[in-house]
Every structure is written in C-alpha cells, then in structure tokens.
Amino acid sequence: QVQLVESGGGLVQAGGSLRLSCAASGRTFSSYAMGWFRQAPGKEREFVVAIDWSGGNTYYADSVKGRFTISRGNAKNTVYLQMNSLKLEDTAVYYCAARPYTIAKSRAAYDYWGQGTQVTVSS
C-alpha cells in the first residue's frame, strides 16, 4: 500500500514558476514509477509526466516539454515537479500517482493516487 500526498500548489502569474511535491508513505517507494497528471475544470484528467523507479527514464507530454521537470528523491520518498514558464492553460488540479517500476501514460495503469493540489495561473 502506498499513500501519496501532494503539496506546493497555489496561485502564480503567467510566466512564473511553482514546485510541486508528492510525498509517499511505504518502504517500497523506490520500486515505483511516479506520474503527474492534471485535470482542468470540465476536462478529463490528462498525463503530464512520469519517471521510472530508477529515475533514469522520464517521459513528458508535449504540452509541458521544456518547461516542466520531474525528479525524485528516493531517500526522501518524494517526487518533485518543477514547473517553469507557466501558462494559463496549465491551470488544473495536479495529481501524483504510483505504479510498479515502469513509466506509463495511461491513468488506468496507476495503482495509487494522491488527493491533488490546485495550480492556478493568472494573467
């Protein structure tokens, strides 16, 4: 069982930056791939980025490539999402999720989810 808690969301102006964190409980965090998804009002939850269990492989959605960076600190059981050059369309609730070992882009592939953290980008 893995429990995930996101933090770091907030209100930021367009062009600004935020860093999200996802803290995981459980002793097997290092064997899980971690993903970030987001859901804007009236839209489906969409894939943003994922990192594999080792941290050696990542995959980004085209919409965030070059602006967002995922990283993980296995010693701290935490995964981070650094978001730079934020745009209005990045406004959403951001969720972290966990699945064994390898990256996946499908929501259905993830076994555990956090409660989400709101990111609002203003003009």
Side-chain angles (χ1 to χ4, degrees):
Q1 189 78 7
V2 176
Q3 291 185 325
L4 305 173
V5 179
E6 303 94 336
S7 61
L11 176 65
V12 63
Q13 285 192 322
S17 297
L18 278 177
R19 187 196 197 203
L20 305 184
S21 299
C22 174
S25 65
R27 292 173 291 179
T28 58
F29 174 75
S30 59
S31 65
Y32 283 89
M34 302 297 296
W36 285 97
F37 290 74
R38 65 186 181 186
Q39 187 167 16
K43 295 189 177 181
E44 291 200 351
R45 193 171 299 186
E46 65 174 4
F47 171 81
V48 176
V49 60
I51 188 167
D52 75 353
W53 68 277
S54 72
N57 293 293
T58 58
Y59 188 87
Y60 292 85
D62 288 342
S63 58
V64 305
K65 202 173 294 183
R67 300 188 298 120
F68 290 12
T69 303
I70 191 171
S71 60
R72 64 186 299 157
N74 284 346
K76 295 184 178 180
N77 280 14
T78 303
V79 63
Y80 305 97
L81 181 63
Q82 178 66 44
M83 305 186 295
N84 298 328
S85 303
L86 283 161
K87 303 177 180 180
L88 296 178
E89 53 264 40
D90 294 319
T91 295
V93 177
Y94 283 71
Y95 299 88
C96 70
R99 70 180 305 278
Y101 294 111
T102 57
I103 290 171
K105 294 189 296 179
S106 169
R107 290 176 297 171
Y110 288 81
D111 300 315
Y112 304 103
W113 291 84
Q115 83 290 347
T117 186
Q118 176 71 48
V119 171
T120 303
V121 184
S122 65
S123 59

